[in-house]
Amino acid sequence: MHNEQEKNADVISKDNDIKAFVVRTLQTEQLSDSLQRFVNGASKSREAPQTMNEFISAISNPNTYVHQAYDLLFNDASTIDFSNIRQVEQLMNQNPLLRATRKYLKLVFQALSVKNANDSLSVSFQQGAPHTFANVKELNHTLQNPSSLAQLIGLKSPGQASEMPLLQEVRQYFSVLANGGSPSTGAEAKLKEEFGEFMVTGF
């Protein structure tokens, strides 16, 4: 079974700048024991001299996000109005363009598993039966045709389908594969990285 968190932990555990801050829970270990092991192994050095007064001043400063976090953690959470956040989240979930973008991202990431032009591809979306492409040429035709892409991901306007993130790069990648070629070395990793940046920053 694919475990995304485990895979992420594998990657950051190998990063020289991050691995000192990563603790992996052993198979027979309770989370509380892992946390204790992490705290005990933490560096005792400080980035800058800090007295308790300086620390208290920092976390009580109303001009920083820390104050908001302090309120969330230590004040009565029932007094905080989350209804607006819930409403925005519901609107985002109902937005046809955002729903279509999520389907497009699922399509692309599942399609990146195909390595051969003649391979068939079955793409699973959250609801309904999976959509099957007989080969990469059929997938590429859908990506190149805004009307076909719009229909697949649930958009009424082909123009909106043409505005999907990194569509030109995706088309180029699958055009090469559909025509029997091999995308350049690192092209798949580069696409995934660019999509990662897009999903984090939004542009």
Side-chain angles (χ1 to χ4, degrees):
M1 178 181 281
H2 174 66
N3 185 327
E4 191 171 344
Q5 279 106 0
E6 188 73 22
K7 186 67 176 170
N8 290 343
D10 288 341
V11 171
I12 63 175
S13 294
K14 294 172 188 164
D15 187 298
N16 290 330
D17 294 328
I18 299 174
K19 65 184 180 184
F21 305 99
V22 177
V23 63
R24 306 291 293 271
T25 301
L26 304 174
Q27 210 163 18
T28 58
E29 189 176 38
Q30 294 293 317
L31 181 59
S32 57
D33 295 331
S34 303
L35 183 58
Q36 191 60 49
R37 183 162 50 85
F38 177 70
V39 171
N40 290 342
S43 169
K44 301 295 185 276
S45 62
R46 300 179 304 191
E47 291 182 9
Q50 187 179 56
T51 65
M52 187 53 74
N53 283 339
E54 288 170 331
F55 178 73
I56 296 298
S57 297
I59 66 169
S60 60
N61 184 351
N63 298 318
T64 69
Y65 72 92
V66 178
H67 182 73
Q68 297 169 40
Y70 182 91
D71 284 345
L72 282 171
L73 290 170
F74 303 111
N75 288 346
D76 182 5
S78 63
T79 62
I80 301 167
D81 182 16
F82 289 104
S83 59
N84 186 47
I85 296 171
R86 286 191 199 100
Q87 186 179 12
V88 170
E89 184 181 15
Q90 285 173 350
L91 289 172
M92 288 175 67
N93 287 333
Q94 293 165 5
N95 183 295
L97 184 57
L98 289 177
R99 272 205 315 267
T101 302
R102 287 194 293 272
K103 279 189 170 182
Y104 166 76
L105 293 172
K106 288 178 182 179
L107 167 67
V108 172
F109 275 91
Q110 291 176 60
L112 284 171
S113 65
V114 176
K115 307 300 179 199
N116 188 303
N118 297 318
D119 288 348
S120 65
L121 171 68
S122 185
V123 178
S124 298
F125 298 115
Q126 192 167 3
Q127 297 169 343
H131 184 91
T132 302
F133 297 96
N135 49 43
V136 177
K137 192 169 277 191
E138 192 177 304
L139 166 67
N140 187 51
H141 177 267
T142 299
L143 291 169
Q144 300 292 340
N145 185 317
S147 297
S148 299
L149 181 59
Q151 185 177 1
L152 178 65
I153 61 178
L155 283 173
K156 292 179 180 176
S157 164
Q160 285 182 312
S162 297
E163 295 172 7
M164 288 293 107
L166 303 173
L167 182 58
Q168 293 309 316
E169 291 87 340
V170 169
R171 284 173 169 170
Q172 184 178 355
Y173 180 91
F174 287 105
S175 285
V176 172
L177 199 56
N179 292 314
S182 295
S184 60
T185 306
E188 179 185 345
K190 186 171 186 288
L191 254 184
K192 287 179 178 177
E193 183 180 345
E194 288 177 342
F195 269 111
E197 289 175 7
F198 176 85
M199 287 186 279
V200 169
T201 63
F203 52 88

